[in-house]
């Protein structure tokens, strides 16, 4: 069995690499992929991106947002997390049977001291009733692909902040994530494995999965990407994972209500968003203005439901004409701020 420890720390690049290798014949089945990423959120194929993320927190903390090909719920990752993927012939695994696929990972963790780690529920690996690995699966062209997270030393406070969306903000029919209590596996490992970098933790797993006593010996099983591979991966990254239409435009239709009372009156805005763009907008309230508020609505209808795009559209208007006595910056903040 071959493997690839991806050199990139960008989730978009790594998902493109997964997709490319799964659909090529460069690596013989079965094979594994390992990757470590800078802070990011990956939403499931059928989810409403805006419903899953705290957009404001993600902007402030430079968290990359993307969408994967497989289903399941949203996942937060940072450099304390290690991802792993299995690609196997579809006829050798029953779809949804995560337990058999992740057994090499669980066995390696047992050997490293986390003897309580077990596969449970639909697609999780837990310890002491707390989740430290979530997995997702899809099948294409006779191959089944399963990828999962493995929380070694993740900032768990960021998990809660980045994925928290107030329930009354967005309503849609997207597949919603089910939040679970999470933990890092690091404290459950033997002492000699509790002060590793995430890369060293990955290498310890690789040694056990390939039954070698050094990472140098495991290198004989590692695939090396070629310039041809890199070019094809770049094309997939551009087409999917770094593409606004794929990440946000594929979201199911949803509605958003934004309401705030100001000294100059109350503004109550109702958005309808479809394919990631503002399909309809009605602004209600007891504010005063010499201009027709329909101008504000029309300026935003058709725009991506994206804070920067919305701010640029509103910047072309003299908002003091529509909302007398209300600071234009406060109006822009209310209408464009995303939670």
């Amino acid at each position: 069995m071959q493997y690839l420890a991806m050199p990139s720390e960008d989730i978009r690049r790594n998902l493109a690499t997964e997709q490319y290798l799964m659909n090529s014949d460069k690596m013989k089945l079965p094979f594994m992929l390992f990757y470590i990423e800078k802070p990011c959120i990956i939403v499931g194929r059928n989810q409403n991106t805006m419903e899953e993320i705290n957009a404001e927190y993600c902007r402030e903390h430079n968290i990359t947002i993307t969408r994967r090909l497989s289903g399941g719920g949203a996942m937060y990752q940072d450099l304390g997390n290690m991802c792993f993927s299995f690609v196997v012939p579809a006829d050798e695994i029953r779809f949804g049977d995560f337990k058999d696929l992740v057994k090499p990972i669980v066995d390696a963790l047992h050997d490293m001291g986390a003897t309580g780690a077990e596969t449970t529920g639909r697609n999780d690996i837990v310890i002491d009733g707390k989740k430290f690995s979530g997995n997702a699966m899809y099948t294409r062209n006779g191959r089944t692909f399963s990828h999962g997270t493995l929380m070694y030393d993740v900032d768990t406070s960021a998990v809660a902040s980045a994925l928290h969306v107030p329930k009354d903000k967005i309503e849609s029919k997207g597949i919603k994530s089910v939040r679970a209590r999470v933990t890092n596996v690091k404290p459950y490992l033997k002492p000699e494995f509790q002060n590793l970098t995430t890369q060293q933790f990955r290498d310890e797993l690789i040694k056990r999965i390939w039954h070698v006593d050094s990472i140098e010996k495991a290198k004989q099983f590692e695939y090396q990407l070629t310039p041809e591979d890199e070019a094809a991966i770049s094309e997939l990254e551009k087409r999917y994972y770094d593409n606004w239409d794929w990440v946000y435009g594929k979201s199911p239709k949803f509605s958003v209500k934004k309401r705030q009372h100001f000294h100059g009156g109350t503004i109550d805005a109702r958005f309808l968003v479809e394919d990631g763009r503002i399909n309809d907008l009605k602004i209600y309230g007891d504010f005063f203005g010499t201009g027709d508020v329909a101008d504000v609505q029309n300026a935003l209808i058709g725009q991506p439901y994206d804070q920067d795009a919305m701010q640029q559209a509103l910047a072309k208007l003299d908002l003091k004409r529509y909302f007398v006595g209300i600071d234009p910056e406060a109006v822009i903040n209310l209408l464009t701020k995303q939670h």
Side-chain angles (χ1 to χ4, degrees):
M1 182 170 69
Q2 286 183 294
Y3 75 91
L4 172 63
M6 299 191 200
S8 169
E9 292 181 346
D10 189 313
I11 182 61
R12 296 163 295 193
R13 185 75 180 179
N14 291 336
L15 287 176
T17 303
E18 281 186 341
Q19 184 178 351
Y20 168 74
L21 291 174
M22 178 180 175
N23 293 315
S24 76
D25 294 321
K26 292 298 187 73
M27 296 178 74
K28 294 181 179 180
L29 299 182
F31 62 83
M32 284 192 72
L33 307 173
F34 299 90
Y35 45 100
I36 300 164
E37 273 109 18
K38 292 177 288 188
C40 59
I41 293 175
I42 312 96
V43 300
R45 183 185 183 98
N46 303 309
Q47 292 192 296
N48 175 350
T49 302
M50 293 307 306
E51 192 174 17
E52 293 297 322
I53 67 172
N54 183 333
E56 181 182 10
Y57 181 90
C58 292
R59 282 167 58 91
E60 291 176 352
H61 293 82
N62 298 313
I63 297 172
T64 299
I65 312 297
T66 193
R67 181 189 300 276
R68 61 179 181 269
L69 291 173
S70 56
M75 299 176 180
Y76 172 84
Q77 299 175 19
D78 62 20
L79 292 170
N81 180 81
M82 189 208 73
C83 278
F84 60 91
S85 304
F86 292 92
V87 182
V88 300
D91 59 3
E92 290 187 7
I93 192 77
R94 182 173 59 84
F95 190 82
D97 187 359
F98 291 96
K99 188 170 184 177
D100 279 353
L101 267 181
V102 303
K103 188 175 186 300
I105 294 287
V106 174
D107 288 346
L109 290 172
H110 287 174
D111 187 61
M112 294 172 68
T115 55
E118 59 180 340
T119 310
T120 187
R122 239 181 10 139
N123 57 346
D124 298 335
I125 307 177
V126 304
I127 194 163
D128 281 352
K130 300 175 185 176
K131 172 179 174 179
F132 65 88
S133 173
N135 296 266
M137 182 182 291
Y138 70 101
T139 296
R140 295 288 187 281
N141 302 321
R143 297 181 172 200
T144 292
F145 176 82
S146 174
H147 48 189
T149 57
L150 196 54
M151 296 171 61
Y152 175 68
D153 194 18
V154 172
D155 180 356
T156 54
S157 66
V159 176
S161 299
L163 294 175
H164 173 70
V165 181
K167 291 182 172 61
D168 62 345
K169 290 293 180 183
I170 296 177
E171 294 182 3
S172 83
K173 297 186 182 300
I175 304 301
K176 298 173 179 60
S177 296
V178 177
R179 306 291 176 223
R181 288 194 304 160
V182 297
T183 189
N184 286 306
V185 73
K186 178 179 175 178
Y188 297 92
L189 302 174
K190 295 175 183 176
E192 60 264 36
F193 302 121
Q194 291 188 11
N195 294 297
L196 305 176
T197 65
T198 311
Q199 288 81 2
Q200 291 170 332
F201 172 62
R202 174 200 64 200
D203 290 350
E204 291 296 334
L205 289 172
I206 289 173
K207 285 160 54 178
R208 284 159 178 79
I209 293 169
W210 272 266
H211 305 292
V212 293
D213 57 13
S214 72
I215 195 63
E216 287 72 26
K217 290 182 180 178
K219 294 287 185 182
Q220 63 183 301
F221 303 106
E222 185 174 15
Y223 179 78
Q224 300 296 322
L225 293 170
T226 67
E228 178 188 27
D229 295 336
E230 298 282 10
I233 290 165
S234 294
E235 178 59 32
L236 287 172
E237 181 181 3
K238 181 178 178 182
R239 188 190 312 170
Y240 292 99
Y241 308 105
D242 196 21
N243 181 338
W244 186 93
D245 283 328
W246 169 255
V247 179
Y248 293 95
K250 295 295 183 183
S251 294
K253 181 168 62 175
F254 63 95
S255 59
V256 185
K257 175 183 178 180
K258 299 184 176 185
R259 188 178 190 275
Q260 187 171 342
H261 177 70
F262 302 94
H263 183 70
T266 297
I267 299 176
D268 185 343
R270 312 293 179 93
F271 293 80
L272 178 63
V273 183
E274 193 166 5
D275 296 328
R277 294 182 180 273
I278 301 169
N279 185 280
D280 195 14
L281 168 63
K282 298 296 181 186
I283 299 176
Y284 305 97
D286 57 0
F287 51 84
F288 294 100
T290 59
D292 188 343
V293 76
D295 296 341
V296 181
Q297 296 170 170
N298 292 333
L300 290 175
I301 291 173
Q303 295 291 334
Y305 189 71
D306 170 81
Q307 188 166 352
D308 291 336
M310 294 164 71
Q311 287 180 349
Q312 290 174 21
L314 291 174
K316 299 175 183 178
L317 300 176
D318 179 7
L319 293 176
K320 292 180 180 178
R321 293 183 57 237
Y322 306 97
F323 308 100
V324 173
I326 304 177
D327 179 18
E329 287 299 318
V331 175
I332 291 174
N333 187 54
L334 170 65
L335 295 178
T336 69
K337 191 174 181 180
Q338 299 172 357
H339 295 272

